[in-house]
Amino acid sequence: MEEMMNLAIRQEVSRCLLCYDAPCTAACHGDIHIDRILRALYFQNVLGAFRMWEAEKQHCHDMTAALLKGRHACLRSKIDQPVNLLMIAEFLSGYTETNCKVEVMV
């Protein structure tokens, strides 16, 4: 089941356009740097994404509202549908530093 979730998250993150001046982050008024978290996950840096997520949670009072603003601003919605930031947040919330596996592909 966990592997299926990882696959779903990877597919969702791969939909991110990796915008230079990410509108998802601008929509949050700097409360959450969504672009950095997505970029870390995009390049399979789960531990880095988890650490950024934990740091961001300390600064933002309403994560859900900020993520909804970011999702609304996502440029991917002009192609099909925006990246599901709430699903990614749920994924990261279920992690701890000890279960962030580092996979090295040889």
Side-chain angles (χ1 to χ4, degrees):
M1 185 67 169
E2 185 177 330
E3 193 169 309
M4 289 287 284
M5 183 60 165
N6 287 338
L7 180 61
I9 293 299
R10 281 179 132 166
Q11 287 175 337
E12 194 61 29
V13 168
S14 72
R15 296 179 60 254
C16 179
L17 300 175
L18 299 176
C19 302
Y20 173 72
D21 191 17
C24 59
T25 297
C28 295
H29 304 291
D31 287 345
I32 306 174
H33 295 281
I34 298 170
D35 58 337
R36 293 177 61 208
I37 294 168
L38 288 174
R39 194 168 284 112
L41 288 171
Y42 190 92
F43 292 105
Q44 299 177 17
N45 181 4
V46 178
L47 181 58
F50 169 76
R51 286 179 177 165
M52 283 185 263
W53 173 252
E54 288 297 308
E56 299 290 349
K57 285 192 330 187
Q58 304 300 318
H59 302 292
C60 184
H61 356 299
D62 191 359
M63 292 294 279
T64 304
L67 291 170
L68 288 173
K69 286 179 191 175
R71 187 169 195 263
H72 182 71
C74 180
L75 292 179
R76 180 69 192 216
S77 63
K78 294 184 181 199
I79 298 170
D80 50 13
Q81 60 185 4
V83 175
N84 189 343
L85 300 176
L86 293 175
M87 181 174 82
I88 293 167
E90 184 179 326
F91 169 77
L92 287 171
S93 294
Y95 263 83
T96 62
E97 228 175 289
T98 55
N99 68 356
C100 289
K101 295 179 184 174
V102 178
E103 296 177 21
V104 178
M105 303 296 279
V106 180

